[in-house]
Amino acid sequence: MSEHRRPALFSAALASSLFLSACTSGDTEAPPGDAAPEESPSPEYIPYFWVEREVRVRTLDRMMTEGDPQEVADNTGDLVERLFATGIVQEGEDGYRVELDKDEWTPEAVTLVNRLDSALAAAMEGNEVAWCGEPMAGDEFVEGYTDEFWEAYETAEEYEESITDYVDCGTGELD
């Protein structure tokens, strides 16, 4: 290559590189569904998927408490293995139980939350909420909460309190 073409080629490459870097957001955070779930989201922004996951986990816990944990696991299908792998569902002396403390979940198994969320979705689709009046599909119960309360609160603590109330057959509304 001739010497007089090198600077032009270098300039074109540099310009392309600067253009591409200017087009990126600079946000290195992985998109929802690919990143590991945070223990609690930042107070500035509560992601929809965090709220939905929180309702699903607490509903699954109540499903196993109110019903037959083995039946709940069986109704989840093959994806129940993901719930065991994450440590969300654990086997104890009295059968299966849901671990609500996210610090106790297996971090390596939880890194791809879309896999975690699909397993929780399967648990909701395959099981019913029967402790709050007329039985309904678990996914309908979760959707009822997210439809009503998505973006209603500003902190993870408020959502946790609201979700706990909702799963315990309350309104989900905070005073």
Side-chain angles (χ1 to χ4, degrees), residues 51 145-146 148-155 158-159 162 172 174:
V51 173
Y145 181 86
T146 56
E148 178 76 20
F149 294 105
W150 166 237
E151 296 185 316
Y153 302 113
E154 295 181 15
T155 67
E158 289 174 320
Y159 273 108
S162 170
L174 299 182

Side-chain angles (χ1 to χ4, degrees), residues 91-119:
E91 189 168 8
E93 293 176 12
D94 299 331
Y96 302 132
R97 68 176 189 82
V98 174
E99 178 58 63
L100 296 175
D101 183 354
K102 293 170 191 72
D103 290 337
E104 297 299 318
W105 294 0
T106 308
E108 304 82 43
V110 180
T111 55
L112 293 175
V113 295
N114 57 348
R115 292 176 49 100
L116 167 62
D117 289 341
S118 63

Side-chain angles (χ1 to χ4, degrees), residues 64 68-75 91 96:
M64 289 201 170
D68 176 7
Q70 181 64 54
E71 183 179 336
V72 172
D74 291 345
N75 290 344
E91 189 168 8
Y96 302 132

Side-chain angles (χ1 to χ4, degrees), residues 48 51-53 55-60 63 72 75-76 117-131 134-148 166-167:
Y48 174 84
V51 173
E52 183 181 54
R53 185 177 311 115
V55 179
R56 286 175 173 169
V57 169
R58 291 180 185 274
T59 302
L60 180 61
M63 286 173 172
V72 172
N75 290 344
T76 301
D117 289 341
S118 63
L120 287 167
M124 295 302 104
E125 290 168 8
N127 290 287
E128 287 187 334
V129 171
W131 61 89
E134 285 295 313
M136 71 170 62
D139 55 347
E140 290 177 33
F141 183 76
V142 170
E143 189 176 299
Y145 181 86
T146 56
D147 285 351
E148 178 76 20
Y166 180 80
V167 171

Side-chain angles (χ1 to χ4, degrees), residues 9-24:
L9 192 57
F10 176 73
S11 295
L14 180 60
S16 296
S17 175
L18 290 173
F19 176 76
L20 289 174
S21 66
C23 291
T24 63

